[in-house]
Amino acid sequence: MSSMENHESEPRAIERPAWSTRETSEGAQGLFPRRITEPGEIGRESGAVLRLPEGPVLDPSQIDIDRPDDETMIINMGPQHPSTHGVLRLMLELDGEVVLRTKSVIGYLHTGMERTGEDLTYVQGATNVTRMDYLSPLHNELVFSMATEALLGIEVPPRAVWIRTLMCELNRVGSHLMWMATNGMDLGSTSMMIYGLREREMIMTFFEKTTGLRFNTNYIRPGGVAADLPDGWLDDIEVICDTVEARSFEYDDLLTGQPIFRERTEGVGSLTAEEALALGVTGPLLRSTGVPWDLRRTMPYMAYGELDFDVIVGTYGDNFDRYAIRLAEIRESIKMIRQLIEKMPSGDYRLQDPKVTPPPRGRIDTSMEALIHHFKIFTEGFKVPEGEVYTAIESPRGELGCYIVSDGSSKPYRMHIRGPSFVNLQCLPLLLRGGLLSDAVAVISSVDPVMGEVDR
Amino acid sequence: MSDASIGILSGVPQQAGIGVDQIAFPSRDGYQGLVSSLRDSGFELCADLCAVDYLTHPGRRLPDGIGPERFEIVVNLLSLSQKRRLRIRVQVPEAEPVVDSLFDVYPGTEAMEREAFDLFGIRFAGHPDLTRILMPEDWEGHPLRKDFGDGRVPVQFKEIPGPR
Amino acid sequence: MGLEDLPHNFLTGTVEELVKWARRSSVWPATFGLACCAIEMMAAGAADYDLARFGMEVFRNSPRQADLMIVAGRVSQKMAPVLRQVYDQMMEPKWVISMGVCASTGGMFNNYAIVQGVDQIIPVDVYAPGCPPSPETLMHAILTLHEKIRTGEITKRRAEGRPLELEPAPSSPWTPDVPTAVRLGTPR
Amino acid sequence: MDQYLPVLGLLILGILFAAGSFVGSALLAPRKKPSAAKLSPYECGIVPELDPPARFPVRFYLVAMMFIIFDIEIVFMYPFAVVFRQLGTFGLVEVITFSVVVFVSLIFLISSGALTWGPVKRLTRGMPSRTSESTIARITADPASGRAA
C-alpha cells in the first residue's frame, strides 16, 4: 500500500495539476454564492472537485492550498459506510459541517467484467453482464441481447419483444421500490425500508416463478427469452399492479407528509439543465432539471412505440424532484404493464433459427441434427459477423449503452457497457458543494448509484 | 441531419454503421476541434467514451485513407434536439498513445478518460486529474490491453487458456 | 486470566453454556455489503425473511459494535486491505460468513480484479453457496453458525499468529484453522 | 454526625462500582494484546496514514460550552430541589436569579451564531410549498404526431 514516504520517492509520472495555485473565479476556494460563479467555471467544476491522489488521507496543510484559515479537514466517507449505497468512497473537504470539495473514489468493486466478457461466448455473455447493475439486471441483459441481435441482423418474434418489455418494466418498478426503501432509510424513516422491500418481494417471487431465480436471471438472451411466461402469470401481475399502485399513495403520504423529509430534500442538491448536459447526466437526474429526455419516448425500442405513457419532468432539479419523479415513474410503469398484459401477442417466445437458438431438450434425444446444433451452440457458440455496434436503452438510472466490437469469432472482441451511474456520479461534487454533511447523505441516495455498474 | 453538422463532417472520412448509426473518423489532431464544433452544432451530450485495443484483430473495416493503429478511442455523441447519435473513432498509435482531452468540451468525460487511461494506458493531454480510477493506485500494467495476462488462477479441471 | 483460560470443570460447565447461549442468540452482523449478495442480505433483513427472529435485529455499521461480518459480494483487489482492516477492528469474539460464491471462491470472475476467495484474507467460519444465495440459504448459513457457536469452544482458540501482513501476492495463503466439527442439518 | 451517613454510603458505593468494573474487565477481557489495526481509529475501512486532524473548527467547542452551561445549572438544581420547601420564597428567588444569570450566557452564545450551522447554499427560503404531484410535469405522447416532443 502506498504509504506517505514512498509517495514522494517514486517519480510522480504525472506532475501535480496546478489547480491549487491557479486563481479560480472563486478566489482561493472562497465561499462565494453560486450566482457569482460564471457558467464556464461551473461547467469546469474545478471549483467543486477535489483533485488529490486517493492514497493517503492528507492533512490540508500539506497540499499547499492558500486558505487563510487552515480549519478545513479532509475526511473519508469510506467504502464501508452505511449510507454510501455500496462501496463508494468520498474524500470530503469539510469546513466544520459544510462540504467544500469532494472526490468520489471508486473501483472498490471493480470486477474486470469487460475483460471476462471477452472470454465468454455470446450465449454466456448475458450472465456476466447481468451482474453489473444488480438492481435492474434485466436491463443489462436486454441491452447486451439487443446489441448482439443488431450485429447478427436478426429480428426477435413479437411475443418475445412484449415479454422483454413486460419484464423490464417490472424490473424498473422493483428498482425504484428499492430506491424508495433505501432513500427512506437514509433520511431516517426505517418503516419506508420495510414497506419498500415488502412490495419488492412480490416482484421477486414473480421473477423466481418465471425465470427460476430472484435476480441475475439470464432470462433475456440473444434471440429471445429463455422460457415462456408460466401459466397463471396474468393474475400474478394484476395482483402486483393493484397492490403497488395503491400503496404508492401510502408512501407519498408517509414521506411528503413529514417536515423532516421535506426539510432534507427540498432545495438540497439542485442541478441545472446545462450543468447536467455538460456532465453527461441522464435518467431521472436529467429529467429532474426539466429536460424531457427519456429514451423510451424519444428513441423507442422494443414495444415502447405502441405503449401510451407519460415522461415525468421535474422543475427545480433537487432531491424532492427526483423523489417525485421516481414515485411517478412507478405509477407510469404500472400503467404500461397493464397495457402490456392486454395486448400480449401469442406465438413462439424465441427465434426459430437453429443457428442461434438451441433446440428444445426433448428433441435432442430423437434427432441427430438437433443434437449437433445443441452441441455447437453450447460449446463454441454461434458466430457473429465482424463489425461494431452501440445500442442504448433507458435503465432506471439513465442511458445504459452497450458497445460490442466483434471480430467474426463467437466471443465479443471488446464489450463495453456505458453505465449510467458511472457518469451520474460525476455530478456529486457539484451537488454536495456548500451543503451540510447530512445533506451529502441525502444527495448520494438521490443520485442512486449502483456500484456494480459504476466499477464494472 | 441538420445542415450545420453536415458541413462540419464533410471533410472527415465517414462510414455508415449498423442500423441508423453514423461513424466519423477524424485524425488525432483534428479530433478535439471536430468534437467542440459538433457540440456547438447540436450534440449537447457526450454519452460515452471508451478505448479499444486492436492488437490481435488488425483487419477491421475502415474507410480508405485511415491507417489502422493499435488503439482506438470511440466517442458516442448524442443530440437531444435532433434525436440522433454520432460515433467518432480516432486511431491512436501504440508508440505514442496520447490524445487531446475532451474535458474542456464535455466536463462529463473526465471519469471516462481516467478509466481509458487506467485500463488501456492511453494518456489524455490537458486532463485535470489523470490518475487511476478503478485499479488500486500502485497497480502495474493496464488490464484491458490484449497483451496483459488475464490473471486467471489455474482451475484444477480446466486447462490454462494462455493470453489470447 | 481471561475468559479463555477458564478451566473446563464441573463448576464452570454451566457458565460456559450460558455464555455460549447468550452469544449465539444475539449475534449482531456488521454489514459488509459489496455487490448483488448485499441486496439479498437486505431482503433477508426486511419484513418477509425477518432476521430479527434470530436475534440479528440490527445491522451494526461500525465494526466496533459487531460480532459477525457477513462478506456479501465479490471482493476486489482494491477492497482487500479495507476488508482486512475492518476485520481487525472488530471486537472479539468475531465470526465471518462468506456469503455467495464470489466471496467464497471468486465465483465466475476468475480474473485479475477479484480475490479468489475471501479466506485468503480473513479466516471464514461458514460459507453460503449461491449466486446470489436466496435469503433462505443465508438463514441456513446463519443457523449453522449458531450451531457452531453453541457447540464450539468458548472463544476461538485461534492459532496465535500475528495479523496477516498483506503483501501483493500472499505466498502462503493464511490457512484458516480447521473449523471444529459443524453439525449440519436441521439445527435444534 | 448522622447527617453525613448517606454521603459516606454514596462515596463507598461509588468507589465499589468503579473498582468493580475495573476488576471485572481485567478478569473477563481476552488477554490477547490488541493488534495495531484495532488501536487505530476507524476510517470507514481505510488504513489511515496520518492521525486524524487535531484542529477542529470552533463551532464544535461552542456546542460543548452550551452543554456545560446546562450541566452546571442542573448540578445546582438538585440540592435545591431537595430542600426547596424549607427555603420558601427566599430559595425560589435565589434559584431564579441564578438561572437568569446562566441563561444570559446562553443568549450571548446563540446571538454570536453558535447554532447557525446552516449550509451556505439553501434554496428553500422563498420556495413555494409543493406536493409530489405539483412539482413534476407530465409529457404525454401527443397521439397526432405519434411522437412526443
Side-chain angles (χ1 to χ4, degrees):
Chain A
M1 278 166 299
S2 67
S3 64
M4 204 44 206
E5 318 68 26
N6 80 15
H7 215 70
E8 261 60 37
S9 55
E10 41 119 330
R12 289 289 298 160
I14 315 109
E15 82 295 343
R16 166 176 299 287
W19 51 265
S20 61
T21 50
R22 196 181 62 233
E23 194 55 35
T24 61
S25 71
E26 287 185 79
Q29 303 308 318
L31 289 181
F32 297 109
R34 283 167 60 80
R35 29 184 176 67
I36 293 188
T37 325
E38 332 105 357
E41 186 60 49
I42 290 185
R44 291 182 56 78
E45 266 332 298
S46 61
V49 183
L50 186 71
R51 291 202 166 74
L52 281 175
E54 66 200 31
V57 178
L58 294 180
D59 208 2
S61 54
Q62 286 179 331
I63 34 176
D64 56 55
I65 18 175
D66 36 29
R67 283 192 52 74
D69 43 9
D70 52 357
E71 273 187 4
T72 61
M73 51 184 176
I74 293 187
I75 61 159
N76 249 311
M77 200 165 163
Q80 208 255 344
H81 191 276
S83 74
T84 51
H85 284 249
V87 276
L88 162 72
R89 170 185 165 199
L90 291 181
M91 280 168 79
L92 296 166
E93 185 192 7
L94 293 180
D95 169 14
E97 284 263 321
V98 178
V99 176
L100 293 184
R101 292 180 296 173
T102 328
K103 171 170 187 168
S104 46
V105 181
I106 55 174
Y108 286 97
L109 194 60
H110 176 55
T111 331
M113 280 181 171
E114 293 180 352
R115 179 68 202 226
T116 316
E118 287 164 11
D119 300 339
L120 297 175
T121 67
Y122 285 97
V123 181
Q124 307 158 332
T127 51
N128 173 39
V129 165
T130 189
R131 282 163 174 75
M132 281 188 182
D133 175 353
Y134 37 78
L135 283 187
S136 57
L138 284 161
H139 288 273
N140 305 335
E141 295 165 11
L142 178 64
V143 81
F144 179 81
S145 305
M146 276 169 65
T148 321
E149 282 144 17
L151 276 174
L152 282 168
I154 52 175
E155 275 304 315
V156 182
R159 182 171 174 85
V161 167
W162 282 72
I163 291 182
R164 283 181 174 181
T165 319
L166 171 71
M167 297 300 270
C168 279
E169 283 313 309
L170 271 173
N171 207 216
R172 187 187 310 274
V173 170
S175 167
H176 280 331
L177 280 175
M178 173 58 99
W179 176 81
M180 295 283 288
T182 42
N183 188 41
M185 169 76 110
D186 278 350
L187 300 182
S189 112
T190 28
S191 45
M192 187 59 222
M193 176 84 164
I194 304 294
Y195 296 154
L197 286 172
R198 176 191 59 192
E199 260 58 73
R200 191 171 165 274
E201 274 311 308
M202 298 164 59
I203 297 176
M204 285 296 133
T205 36
F206 178 72
F207 279 163
E208 193 163 6
K209 187 173 176 185
T210 322
T211 62
L213 252 172
R214 290 160 58 86
F215 59 96
N216 291 348
T217 51
N218 188 16
Y219 179 67
I220 298 177
R221 300 180 181 173
V225 184
D228 205 347
L229 290 172
D231 40 25
W233 62 277
L234 204 58
D235 36 37
D236 285 353
I237 293 190
E238 256 145 24
V239 165
I240 290 176
C241 289
D242 303 342
T243 342
V244 174
E245 179 136 38
R247 295 206 176 136
S248 69
F249 296 103
E250 269 177 39
Y251 306 153
D252 199 8
D253 307 339
L254 169 73
L255 289 177
T256 31
Q258 303 307 327
I260 303 169
F261 180 81
R262 299 177 78 88
E263 178 63 30
R264 289 194 67 180
T265 49
E266 282 181 357
V268 170
S270 66
L271 193 65
T272 58
E274 64 274 353
E275 283 161 10
L277 286 176
L279 288 171
V281 162
T282 52
L285 244 68
L286 179 63
R287 290 196 287 277
S288 72
T289 61
V291 177
W293 182 259
D294 185 337
L295 284 176
R296 295 175 292 174
R297 163 64 46 75
T298 48
M299 294 181 173
Y301 52 95
M302 285 289 132
Y304 287 108
E306 291 103 61
L307 292 180
D308 156 39
F309 64 100
D310 301 343
V311 174
I312 314 292
V313 168
T315 42
Y316 296 96
D318 57 2
N319 278 1
F320 191 75
D321 272 3
R322 290 188 276 272
Y323 154 76
I325 284 178
R326 289 190 174 106
L327 187 64
E329 269 181 8
I330 289 182
R331 296 190 192 117
E332 283 312 304
S333 292
I334 287 178
K335 193 167 90 176
M336 275 198 260
I337 290 173
R338 287 213 168 95
Q339 297 166 38
L340 282 162
I341 294 181
E342 292 142 19
K343 298 183 240 170
M344 176 67 77
S346 61
D348 44 39
Y349 56 89
R350 235 181 145 155
L351 192 65
Q352 290 314 325
D353 168 3
K355 289 285 178 292
V356 172
T357 319
R361 297 290 300 182
R363 268 210 5 254
I364 296 178
D365 319 333
T366 54
S367 97
M368 185 57 197
E369 187 218 10
L371 184 66
I372 297 170
H373 279 307
H374 178 86
F375 182 76
K376 269 191 76 55
I377 282 177
F378 279 111
T379 51
E380 195 207 81
F382 47 81
K383 294 229 176 321
V384 172
E386 196 259 345
E388 44 117 46
V389 74
Y390 176 80
T391 51
I393 64 169
E394 182 72 25
S395 97
R397 265 153 282 287
E399 174 181 323
L400 175 66
C402 174
Y403 177 67
I404 294 187
V405 175
S406 108
D407 59 352
S409 76
S410 70
K411 293 180 177 168
Y413 185 75
R414 165 80 164 117
M415 194 269 296
H416 169 71
I417 295 278
R418 188 257 187 208
S421 306
F422 177 70
V423 185
N424 292 353
L425 262 189
Q426 288 176 90
C427 70
L428 263 186
L430 188 64
L431 299 179
L432 300 183
R433 185 176 173 74
L436 277 177
L437 195 54
S438 49
D439 293 343
V441 168
V443 167
I444 292 173
S445 101
S446 103
V447 165
D448 188 15
V450 174
M451 293 316 289
E453 174 180 63
V454 170
D455 294 345
R456 282 183 305 280
Chain B
M1 172 90 97
S2 79
D3 44 15
S5 61
I6 297 175
I8 296 164
L9 285 176
S10 57
V12 171
Q14 289 170 43
Q15 195 181 11
I18 290 177
V20 75
D21 293 357
Q22 205 223 338
I23 310 171
F25 293 82
S27 66
R28 218 150 42 105
D29 31 34
Y31 159 63
Q32 194 177 18
L34 175 77
V35 171
S36 56
S37 56
L38 275 172
R39 188 195 55 170
D40 304 340
S41 85
F43 284 90
E44 297 92 354
L45 191 125
C46 168
D48 186 20
L49 182 143
C50 67
V52 187
D53 175 4
Y54 280 102
L55 179 66
T56 55
H57 171 42
R60 58 190 187 280
R61 256 176 345 107
L62 285 174
D64 38 29
I66 299 286
E69 299 284 356
R70 176 178 172 187
F71 291 109
E72 205 179 272
I73 294 280
V74 181
V75 179
N76 272 298
L77 299 181
L78 171 63
S79 154
L80 279 73
S81 44
Q82 306 150 24
K83 295 196 185 73
R84 211 161 56 76
R85 286 184 192 282
L86 175 71
R87 189 148 61 248
I88 293 178
R89 290 167 60 178
V90 188
Q91 309 299 325
V92 178
E94 179 184 5
E96 185 227 359
V98 181
V99 176
D100 299 339
S101 161
L102 289 189
F103 180 73
D104 294 333
V105 182
Y106 292 107
T109 55
E110 177 197 353
M112 304 181 208
E113 283 176 350
R114 277 180 67 191
E115 184 196 357
F117 162 71
D118 186 358
L119 298 181
F120 284 89
I122 300 172
R123 301 167 52 72
F124 292 87
H127 191 282
D129 171 23
L130 201 61
T131 53
R132 284 196 183 272
I133 191 168
L134 289 178
M135 301 311 292
E137 285 262 316
D138 44 18
W139 182 273
E140 302 91 23
H142 300 287
L144 271 187
R145 284 187 175 191
K146 288 297 176 184
D147 47 20
F148 183 89
D150 62 6
R152 180 183 289 274
V153 172
V155 177
Q156 204 162 8
F157 303 110
K158 209 173 174 191
E159 33 76 24
I160 306 163
R164 198 207 316 245
Chain C
M1 70 120 186
L3 203 58
E4 61 255 24
D5 308 337
L6 215 59
H8 294 290
N9 58 31
F10 163 73
L11 273 180
T12 62
T14 46
V15 171
E16 271 191 21
E17 287 310 317
L18 177 69
V19 167
K20 282 192 273 187
W21 170 78
R23 280 189 182 150
R24 173 183 80 87
S25 44
S26 92
V27 177
W28 279 4
T31 48
F32 210 85
L34 299 162
C36 356
C37 293
I39 308 294
E40 283 302 76
M41 190 167 64
M42 279 198 239
D48 278 61
Y49 303 93
D50 199 353
L51 274 183
R53 298 176 281 167
F54 308 107
M56 306 174 78
E57 169 59 34
V58 69
F59 273 77
R60 304 307 301 172
N61 296 307
S62 103
R64 310 291 194 196
Q65 306 146 359
D67 315 315
L68 160 72
M69 171 194 268
I70 303 183
V71 184
R74 38 195 192 254
V75 181
S76 73
Q77 301 286 358
K78 200 173 181 181
M79 195 65 185
V82 175
L83 181 80
R84 181 69 215 190
Q85 172 82 353
V86 170
Y87 177 76
D88 286 342
Q89 287 183 339
M90 276 170 70
M91 289 300 126
E92 289 293 335
K94 52 192 172 189
W95 295 277
V96 174
I97 288 186
S98 143
M99 177 180 179
V101 287
C102 294
S104 310
T105 61
M108 65 183 277
F109 304 112
N110 188 349
N111 56 21
Y112 60 91
I114 288 297
V115 174
Q116 299 302 311
V118 90
D119 43 21
Q120 292 181 6
I121 307 170
I122 49 177
V124 174
D125 293 302
V126 177
Y127 297 89
C131 176
S134 67
E136 294 98 350
T137 322
L138 176 64
M139 274 194 265
H140 182 76
I142 288 170
L143 292 179
T144 321
L145 181 74
H146 283 184
E147 276 311 296
K148 180 173 181 189
I149 300 172
R150 201 172 60 74
T151 53
E153 288 299 325
I154 192 110
T155 50
K156 290 174 72 104
R157 287 177 172 69
R158 196 190 304 265
E160 290 310 308
R162 48 169 183 69
L164 173 77
E165 289 316 320
L166 206 95
E167 327 80 26
S171 52
S172 74
W174 170 293
T175 44
D177 53 349
V178 176
T180 50
V182 169
R183 204 179 49 72
L184 278 182
T186 53
R188 278 193 302 281
Chain D
M1 176 49 199
D2 54 359
Q3 268 182 353
Y4 287 102
L5 210 55
V7 171
L8 198 62
L10 196 64
L11 194 65
I12 293 171
L13 268 181
I15 292 173
L16 270 185
F17 179 72
S21 55
F22 277 109
V23 164
S25 71
L27 262 179
L28 296 177
R31 259 184 310 90
K32 212 142 53 85
K33 199 174 64 52
S35 65
K38 183 161 285 186
L39 296 177
S40 65
Y42 171 63
E43 281 264 342
C44 289
I46 295 298
V47 183
E49 305 290 334
L50 297 142
D51 42 17
R55 282 176 56 88
F56 283 97
V58 178
R59 283 196 200 83
F60 296 119
Y61 300 116
L62 291 182
V63 172
M65 241 198 308
M66 260 187 250
F67 163 72
I68 289 174
I69 293 172
F70 285 106
D71 199 14
I72 291 171
E73 200 172 341
I74 294 297
V75 161
F76 286 114
M77 285 281 185
Y78 273 115
F80 164 73
V82 170
V83 289
F84 83 97
R85 250 187 240 298
Q86 293 93 332
L87 293 180
T89 54
F90 163 72
L92 190 65
V93 168
E94 190 58 43
V95 158
I96 286 174
T97 48
F98 164 69
S99 52
V100 160
V101 163
V102 166
F103 199 63
V104 161
S105 59
L106 179 69
I107 297 292
F108 166 70
L109 257 178
I110 291 179
S111 63
S112 72
L115 286 183
T116 50
W117 282 54
V120 170
K121 167 172 73 87
R122 189 48 117 173
L123 297 184
T124 39
R125 226 71 83 235
M127 180 176 271
S129 80
R130 44 192 177 135
T131 70
S132 72
E133 270 311 314
S134 75
T135 186
I136 52 172
R138 292 174 178 272
I139 296 167
T140 56
D142 40 11
S145 80
R147 285 284 172 278

